[in-house]
Amino acid sequence: MVIVTGANGQLGNAVNLLLAQQGRPHKALAHGDLDIGNFDAVRQAVKSLKPQLVINCAAYNDVDGAESRPNDAIRINGLGVRNLAIACGEQKIPLVHVGTDYVFDGNSSAPYTIADEPCPINAYGKSKLLGEKMLTSLTDQFYLVRTSWVFGEGKTNFLKKLLGWAATQEVLRIVHNQYTGPTSAMDLARAILQLTETGAYGLYHYHNAGFCSRYEWAKFALEKKAWKGTLEAVDMSYFPSPARRPLYTVMDLFPISEMGIEIPTWQEATSKWLTEAT
Ligand SMILES: NC(=O)c1ccc[n+]([C@@H]2O[C@H](COP(=O)([O-])OP(=O)(O)OC[C@H]3O[C@@H](n4cnc5c(N)ncnc54)[C@H](OP(=O)(O)O)[C@@H]3O)[C@@H](O)[C@H]2O)c1
């Protein structure tokens, strides 16, 4: 049996769907079912349900909110992961956890490899890095998969927002100088399930193949939707926000790229989502 935490989020939904399709018994635990920030509850759930695997899809993802409420982010992204790592470590159960490209400062001009040192520049990135440290120090059997710009079935994502803006506005301004790889939640979920078959614990990077700027991603999606409005490229400084965001967090997908795990391009993944979800 597989436990999925944060089961109502984008990745949680995708993991649940794939597990169901594969006929694998699983327990989907949404935020209301299990708060990963509650140490006793996490320990009790893992002990009593006796899963063979835990996949943590829960996270605090409000990048701007984390600047004014850093402890909310730390409670979930840091201590929540600590709780899961201790509980899984005690029961000798492998734990999958998902990290972020925002652990990097974005000053590189080449894709970040799994050997590159993280250096987060905002509170969200710091809380996620704390989670990585908790995970790697408190259990041996972990898969840590960093990802970026996730889109799937959930409350919100960039593509959903974009289509909402496009429905009501004739001119859209989108940032041209922030780059990474968009990630289909379904492709990520599939990669995670394949990874867990290997027993090769450790750190991985996964986003869809290739990379783009927010502007290029928006242009691609809006052209697919035959939007008739005007798209303008603006600098990130055009939209002042509480959190600084790294400019370039493209990731080098090695070694996943050599493990026979499917990595569709971001264009393929975006087209599929636009066809199926909108
Ligand atoms: N989204 C991105 O662009 C992005 C980029 C890089 C990395 N990531 C990482 O990828 C992973 C999956 O992200 P996602 O896009 O699927 O996130 P998501 O859609 O925001 O889902 C996160 C889920 O976690 C739940 N949650 C929040 N606090 C919780 C708690 N204390 N206990 C249990 N559940 C809790 C949320 O429930 P409620 O909504 O009910 O609170 C939500 O269902 C996360 O680790 C995230 O940090 C995401």
Side-chain angles (χ1 to χ4, degrees):
M1 196 267 285
V2 180
I3 288 182
V4 183
T5 58
N8 280 352
Q10 300 190 90
L11 180 61
N13 278 322
V15 168
N16 285 323
L17 191 68
L18 285 183
L19 288 170
Q21 282 172 359
Q22 294 173 5
R24 289 177 69 181
H26 62 284
K27 183 95 181 155
L29 298 175
H31 192 172
D33 304 315
L34 178 68
D35 173 0
I36 66 162
N38 182 331
F39 181 52
D40 292 336
V42 168
R43 215 178 197 180
Q44 181 56 31
V46 172
K47 206 172 168 187
S48 61
L49 291 169
K50 298 191 190 347
Q52 277 95 47
L53 174 70
V54 174
I55 303 179
N56 178 33
C57 302
Y60 178 101
N61 283 330
D62 181 354
V63 176
D64 287 321
E67 293 300 312
S68 53
R69 295 185 301 279
N71 287 346
D72 287 358
I74 288 173
R75 190 187 322 281
I76 300 163
N77 296 340
L79 302 181
V81 182
R82 175 203 64 183
N83 298 341
L84 287 163
I86 291 176
C88 290
E90 281 174 351
Q91 306 295 324
K92 306 215 178 314
I93 296 162
L95 171 61
V96 177
H97 176 60
V98 182
T100 175
D101 56 329
Y102 277 23
V103 293
F104 296 117
D105 62 15
N107 293 331
S108 179
S109 51
Y112 286 96
T113 75
I114 57 168
D116 283 317
E117 274 307 310
C119 181
I121 59 170
N122 59 37
Y124 164 78
K126 287 178 188 169
S127 72
K128 291 291 284 184
L129 180 58
L130 178 66
E132 292 192 1
K133 288 179 177 163
M134 295 287 186
L135 178 76
T136 54
S137 61
L138 292 169
T139 186
D140 298 328
Q141 294 171 272
F142 66 83
Y143 301 91
L144 169 56
V145 186
R146 292 192 187 126
T147 192
S148 51
W149 286 357
V150 178
F151 61 98
E153 285 316 296
K155 276 186 194 157
T156 188
N157 63 50
F158 175 69
L159 289 177
K160 269 192 191 171
K161 285 186 205 161
L162 180 74
L163 296 182
W165 297 327
T168 55
Q169 296 170 47
E170 285 172 4
V171 179
L172 290 184
R173 294 180 182 87
I174 305 289
V175 171
H176 71 86
N177 59 337
Q178 191 189 14
Y179 290 88
T180 191
T183 307
S184 147
M186 198 54 88
D187 291 339
L188 174 61
R190 206 171 284 115
I192 284 173
L193 292 184
Q194 283 181 264
L195 254 188
T196 60
E197 300 292 316
T198 65
Y201 299 120
L203 172 62
Y204 295 92
H205 285 172
Y206 187 94
H207 54 53
N208 282 117
F211 66 92
C212 58
S213 67
R214 286 254 190 223
Y215 172 82
E216 288 163 339
W217 193 18
K219 187 165 181 289
F220 180 85
L222 293 174
E223 281 174 4
K224 286 270 164 205
K225 290 306 235 182
W227 184 60
K228 297 280 180 282
T230 305
L231 191 62
E232 290 179 6
V234 295
D235 197 88
M236 202 184 320
S237 57
Y238 186 87
F239 298 109
S241 64
R244 279 177 69 209
R245 284 167 168 75
L247 289 176
Y248 176 97
T249 52
V250 179
M251 293 188 281
D252 186 323
L253 307 184
F254 176 80
I256 280 197
S257 53
E258 297 189 0
M259 292 172 75
I261 288 173
E262 202 191 343
I263 314 178
T265 64
W266 66 264
Q267 293 94 332
E268 288 166 334
T270 301
S271 300
K272 195 161 192 282
W273 187 85
L274 288 170
T275 307
E276 290 174 0
T278 65

